[in-house]
Amino acid sequence: MTRTEPRRRGVLWTPENRWTTAGLLLVVTLLAFENMGVATAMPTMVADLDGGELYSWPFTAHLVASVAATVLSGRVCDRRGPTLSLLVGPWIFLAGLVAAGAAPTMEVLLVGRALQGFGSGVLMVATSLLVALTYDDRERPVMYAAFAAAWVLPAVVGPSIAGLVTETAGWRWVFLGLVPLMPLGMGLLVPVVRRLPAHVPDPAARRAGIVAAVTVA
């Protein structure tokens, strides 16, 4: 008689994975919300800071910084693994939230949005690599599908939530309201990062450079 292993249910929420899954999905959802949901509050922000001539730049600054950071984070992850990006990226994103939420001028808001974009680019590469290193072949497709859902949900409900927050609490809380959540996501991932094996770079792998990152941006 042939014995088969019992089928595991909820591969992402098993005891060994649940905190990693929770931390990753929380971080990705926050990145997606700031990337998509903030558009609803933008007219109010721009009007309050008297920055109509720079209306498109909060989006542009976020996008350019994100593209450049994605390339640079890929290079760092190739050479050192995801640990550095996972530890530094959230702080950059968090600094962007605080800068944008407390911005007294349009220029400071742009700095905050650029920091958010840079932190997002750093983290998106590192979180994807963390999935590859932490989950097995059966679990990875499910986790990447969960990542996709974490981007879709803010795209659907994010604008409505941002609009409600802007009308009730003020546009600054579209940023500041997320500040307590990012350290929570970071705290969930730190133990996982510490358990990662030492990274051995592949000498044959192609490396993206700073010139390439700036050119793409």
Side-chain angles (χ1 to χ4, degrees), residues 2-175:
T2 303
R3 297 183 60 184
T4 59
E5 294 184 4
R7 181 180 180 183
R8 292 189 301 168
R9 296 183 179 180
V11 295
L12 301 185
W13 302 104
T14 57
E16 63 270 20
N17 286 339
R18 61 169 63 111
W19 297 118
T20 307
T21 299
L24 284 170
L25 292 182
L26 176 57
V27 168
V28 172
T29 300
L30 294 178
L31 300 182
F33 178 81
E34 283 306 310
N35 189 42
M36 300 178 178
V38 74
T40 307
M42 194 59 66
T44 304
M45 299 179 200
V46 172
D48 189 42
L49 297 176
D50 193 25
E53 70 281 3
L54 298 174
Y55 184 87
S56 65
W57 275 96
F59 304 102
T60 304
H62 187 284
L63 177 62
V64 170
S66 178
V67 171
T70 299
V71 178
L72 296 177
S73 181
R75 181 177 184 180
V76 171
C77 289
D78 284 342
R79 297 175 112 181
R80 302 186 179 183
T83 300
L84 182 62
S85 293
L86 287 170
L87 295 179
V88 174
W91 289 106
I92 298 174
F93 185 79
L94 189 62
L97 292 177
V98 174
T105 65
M106 191 68 178
E107 289 74 17
V108 178
L109 176 65
L110 295 182
V111 171
R113 289 292 289 166
L115 289 172
Q116 290 169 31
F118 198 89
S120 296
V122 168
L123 284 170
M124 289 309 299
V125 175
T127 52
S128 296
L129 181 55
L130 183 63
V131 170
L133 295 175
T134 305
Y135 296 86
D136 61 30
D137 291 341
R138 178 171 173 261
E139 296 163 344
R140 287 185 201 118
V142 183
M143 191 61 201
Y144 287 128
F147 270 19
W151 276 91
V152 170
L153 185 62
V156 175
V157 304
S160 299
I161 294 174
L164 180 62
V165 171
T166 300
E167 291 188 358
T168 56
W171 64 265
R172 296 182 185 277
W173 288 99
V174 173
F175 302 108

